[in-house]
Amino acid sequence: MNSLKVTVHQAKEEELPIVQDILMQTAGWLKSIGSKQWNGILEGKDHHDTPAAIRRGEVYLATVQGRPAGMFVLWDRQSEWDGELWGIDESQDYMYLHRVNIVREFAGQGVASKMLAASLEIAKDKGKKAVRLDCLASNDYLNKFYAGAGFAQVGVAKDHDAGEQTADFNLYEQAV
């Protein structure tokens, strides 16, 4: 694995354009490889209300030598989406990881792994039991990546309506 020095910090309100640019780049790249995932972003839809998530401290930006390298969203409560996939959980034991994405020039250099590790540390610092995430069951690359990063597949949400498509989603969890 590459030894890039990756720094992860809570995104600040003034970094919203950077975060939005990363999301747009990733959505454009996904579309270019034939995926319908995140097409809503290209149409100006923001189901995660990124500006409010930044204000709440839920958006994290990864940088390499001060340059944006990726971002993710980490919630300490379930979103409506999480409740649909995981079932309602009022325990507050988990954090939910979403929108893990990498600036293309940093792809394959270990940035995503370092962001996952950062999410686990954040959850641990907040006294949580585990981090949960989901991904398309049909995305072999991501499923292998999450499993290789120590996340255990704990379920499948079948035929779930994701807006852009109806698909199966694998559910992953890793204890902190």
Side-chain angles (χ1 to χ4, degrees):
M1 181 177 292
N2 197 307
S3 61
L4 287 180
K5 174 138 174 49
V6 178
T7 303
V8 175
H9 68 272
Q10 280 181 323
K12 301 172 192 75
E13 285 188 68
E14 60 268 21
E15 293 174 313
L16 175 62
I18 295 167
V19 169
Q20 289 174 322
D21 184 56
I22 294 170
L23 288 168
M24 287 292 285
Q25 284 180 39
T26 300
W29 175 74
L30 285 168
K31 185 174 183 174
S32 78
I33 62 169
S35 175
K36 294 179 183 173
Q37 193 176 17
W38 297 15
N39 276 357
I41 291 172
L42 297 173
E43 299 164 4
K45 297 175 187 169
D46 183 359
H47 301 293
H48 288 77
D49 192 359
T50 304
I54 287 175
R55 286 191 297 277
R56 289 190 303 268
E58 300 166 340
V59 178
Y60 293 83
L61 187 60
T63 60
V64 173
Q65 296 179 336
R67 294 176 34 226
M71 57 83 53
F72 62 90
V73 178
L74 188 62
W75 291 319
D76 63 1
R77 59 179 167 51
Q78 283 186 318
S79 66
E80 184 178 328
W81 171 263
D82 295 317
E84 291 172 12
L85 292 182
W86 292 88
I88 301 301
D89 178 8
E90 297 183 15
S91 72
Q92 311 238 336
D93 286 339
Y94 305 98
M95 294 197 85
Y96 294 85
L97 183 61
H98 292 277
R99 297 285 191 215
V100 176
N101 58 110
I102 306 300
V103 172
R104 298 314 314 151
E105 73 178 277
F106 292 105
Q109 298 181 52
V111 174
S113 296
K114 291 177 182 175
M115 290 193 318
L116 290 180
S119 74
L120 293 166
E121 281 301 311
I122 292 162
K124 183 178 178 181
D125 290 347
K126 290 182 179 259
K128 301 297 180 176
K129 202 163 113 176
V131 170
R132 289 178 165 177
L133 60 86
D134 64 84
C135 77
L136 282 168
S138 62
N139 189 326
D140 291 336
Y141 175 83
L142 274 184
N143 283 281
K144 288 176 187 169
F145 173 71
Y146 290 132
F151 282 81
Q153 184 178 344
V154 295
V156 179
K158 294 273 189 195
D159 298 319
H160 194 76
D161 180 5
E164 294 101 1
Q165 62 190 330
T166 298
D168 295 346
F169 288 83
N170 288 341
L171 307 176
Y172 288 92
E173 183 176 295
Q174 183 170 344
V176 295

